């Protein structure tokens, strides 16, 4: 059983930056692919970024060039550095860890981009 706890969300002005953290406990974290998803009110959940157990990354089209995902296996933590934030980035951001057939989700953290 893996527990995921997200942190780092909050209110930021357009053009600002935030760094989200997804801290894991209870499993062999380095074996998991980890992804950040987000869901805005009235919209479907979308993939923001993923990092595999090997360190390969991929990003949603709307965040390419602005967001960076990374992992520190020694700290059992995955980070999402978000720069040049836009109002349309406002959403609940959730962390997902997957090592088939195992699949775990965190509770999510709110990110609000507004002036």
């Amino acid at each position: 059983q893996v527990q995921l706890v997200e942190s780092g969300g909050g209110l930021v002005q357009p053009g600002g930056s935030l760094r989200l953290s997804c801290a894991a406990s209870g499993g062999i974290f380095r074996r998991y692919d980890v992804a950040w998803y987000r869901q805005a009110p009235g919209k479907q959940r979308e993939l923001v970024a993923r990092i595999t157990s090997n360190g390969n990354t991929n990003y949603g089209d709307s965040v390419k060039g602005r967001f960076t995902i990374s992992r520190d296996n020694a700290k059992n933590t995955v980070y999402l550095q978000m720069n040049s934030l836009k109002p349309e980035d406002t959403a609940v951001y959730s962390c997902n860890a997957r090592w088939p057939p195992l699949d775990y989700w965190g509770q999510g953290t709110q990110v609000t981009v507004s002036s």
Side-chain angles (χ1 to χ4, degrees):
Q1 185 78 10
V2 171
Q3 294 81 42
L4 302 174
V5 178
E6 300 98 333
S7 62
L11 174 64
V12 64
Q13 292 187 342
S17 298
L18 283 175
R19 189 177 79 157
L20 304 184
S21 298
C22 172
S25 61
I28 307 174
F29 185 65
R30 67 182 183 277
R31 294 182 178 177
Y32 288 77
D33 295 348
V34 181
W36 285 96
Y37 288 82
R38 68 185 182 187
Q39 188 166 20
K43 294 188 176 181
Q44 289 189 328
R45 185 171 62 195
E46 65 171 337
L47 173 69
V48 177
R50 177 183 288 114
I51 186 164
T52 68
S53 58
N54 293 328
N56 295 319
T57 60
N58 65 285
Y59 297 89
D61 287 342
S62 62
V63 306
K64 284 180 181 177
R66 299 188 298 124
F67 290 11
T68 302
I69 190 170
S70 61
R71 68 190 299 162
D72 185 338
N73 289 335
K75 296 183 178 179
N76 285 353
T77 301
V78 167
Y79 303 98
L80 184 68
Q81 178 66 43
M82 305 187 295
N83 298 329
S84 302
L85 283 160
K86 305 175 181 180
E88 51 264 43
D89 294 317
T90 296
V92 175
Y93 285 69
S94 299
C95 179
N96 169 250
R98 186 175 302 174
W99 182 30
L102 304 176
D103 192 337
Y104 301 102
W105 288 88
Q107 293 295 316
T109 185
Q110 176 70 45
V111 172
T112 302
V113 185
S114 175
S115 55

